[in-house]
Amino acid sequence: MNIRTENLSKTYKRKNSSPVFALRNVSVEIESGQKTAIVGPSGSGKSTLIQILGLMDKPTSGKVFIDGKDCFLSDDNFMCRMRKENIGFVFQFHYLLADFTVFENILIPVWDRKNEYLKKAETILKEIGILERKNHFPNELSGGEQQRAALARALINSPRILFADEPTGNLDRVTGNEIENLLFNISDQNSMTLILVTHNEELALKSDRILKMEDGGIK
Ligand SMILES: Nc1ncnc2c1ncn2[C@@H]1O[C@H](COP(=O)(O)OP(=O)(O)OP(=O)(O)O)[C@@H](O)[C@H]1O
Ligand SMILES: [Mg+2]
């Protein structure tokens, strides 16, 4: 799936203080299957951009088109469906639910039809290398295993677009690189569109494209 933005802006207004212009007129096109690395200094708008592209937040102005469809013109049902059917998201912090096992956490995005996904969940866990941890609770996992589980959860719906916002920011370099490479290779093998915020220069160089952000814009 391809994504296009038109003059995307996001302003955070706060009481008794000046507004923050987190995104300023970003117009960008990301082709289907393209691997894009977003880089830039802290506060430059990387998370704000991918949260809007992933339909998790709304812009102050501007448009996002996914496969030509004007997402924010559509109703919330459309956005929910788009997220559920086509989008996967991995965050810096895993956000696994503490009272659910790894296996259950992975099934949460498809909970209403979870019985159809049991086999798939096993296959993904195996591919990601944590099948033997499937019955562990999140606090019974290492940091790297937690992020692997979060990646598995993002993949359960076979997303056409995978977003990852510094998915290994909390991990040591070696573990982080392993997981980012895994994420990159899985999205590559499945022809997913990948949009990855990363500080991993090697991986950024391996991607099809690097978007450099600075002060809310693309440099
Ligand atoms: N909810 C909010 N309210 C007010 N300002 C915000 C809010 N969220 C982010 N900002 C501001 O918007 C700007 C962009 O933030 P964003 O999180 O997109 O940066 P980033 O490039 O992801 O940074 P980092 O590398 O540190 O994660 C920052 O100046 C930040 O302080
Ligand atoms: Mg960020």
Side-chain angles (χ1 to χ4, degrees):
M1 294 186 113
N2 63 60
I3 308 178
R4 185 166 66 83
T5 74
E6 250 174 37
N7 293 320
L8 215 53
S9 293
K10 178 78 176 180
T11 306
Y12 294 108
K13 295 204 175 80
R14 308 185 60 249
K15 254 192 189 161
N16 306 323
S17 70
S18 42
V20 178
F21 298 99
L23 284 184
R24 304 167 191 260
N25 289 314
V26 172
S27 295
V28 67
E29 190 160 358
I30 293 164
E31 285 167 33
S32 187
Q34 200 173 47
K35 312 276 168 282
T36 300
I38 301 182
V39 302
S42 181
S44 57
K46 306 181 296 296
S47 295
T48 305
L49 178 62
I50 80 163
Q51 274 163 21
I52 294 173
L53 295 181
L55 310 183
M56 305 213 304
D57 194 8
K58 292 186 177 176
T60 308
S61 62
K63 289 174 186 281
V64 173
F65 299 90
I66 297 184
D67 272 357
K69 178 98 180 159
D70 188 338
C71 295
F72 295 110
L73 200 70
S74 314
D75 57 16
D76 286 349
N77 274 342
F78 168 85
M79 299 223 285
C80 277
R81 218 174 47 241
M82 182 64 102
R83 278 201 304 262
K84 207 167 161 177
E85 292 174 3
N86 299 310
I87 290 176
F89 219 110
V90 190
F91 305 88
Q92 180 168 3
F93 187 69
H94 59 76
Y95 294 121
L96 296 167
L97 300 177
D99 296 335
F100 291 81
T101 64
V102 166
F103 197 62
E104 290 164 341
N105 264 285
I106 288 167
L107 289 167
I108 280 172
V110 292
W111 200 254
D112 49 347
R113 290 170 295 147
K114 65 174 182 301
N115 290 333
E116 297 166 34
Y117 283 86
L118 303 178
K119 186 105 197 84
K120 182 152 185 222
E122 294 243 347
T123 308
I124 294 174
L125 282 174
K126 192 160 178 220
E127 188 176 10
I128 282 183
I130 51 166
L131 186 57
E132 67 281 16
R133 297 283 179 271
K134 74 180 244 199
N135 294 318
H136 282 224
F137 289 93
N139 67 358
E140 298 171 333
L141 298 175
S142 71
E145 288 167 344
Q146 288 169 341
Q147 281 308 80
R148 282 175 197 261
L151 173 58
R153 181 185 52 192
L155 294 171
I156 190 73
N157 62 344
S158 306
R160 299 320 307 147
I161 313 174
L162 181 62
F163 293 96
D165 189 357
E166 299 192 51
T168 60
N170 280 321
L171 304 174
D172 69 78
R173 208 182 167 87
V174 174
T175 313
N177 284 353
E178 253 174 46
I179 293 175
E180 278 195 329
N181 279 314
L182 184 66
L183 189 151
F184 193 92
N185 293 337
I186 289 176
S187 60
D188 203 30
Q189 283 153 17
N190 295 286
S191 309
M192 293 173 193
T193 307
L194 174 69
I195 301 175
L196 171 72
V197 177
T198 184
H199 292 291
N200 180 342
E201 256 175 52
E202 220 174 285
L203 200 68
L205 290 173
K206 245 173 61 176
S207 61
D208 299 314
R209 181 179 187 193
I210 300 178
L211 285 183
K212 286 190 180 155
M213 293 200 66
E214 194 179 280
D215 200 19
I218 289 173
K219 225 166 49 166

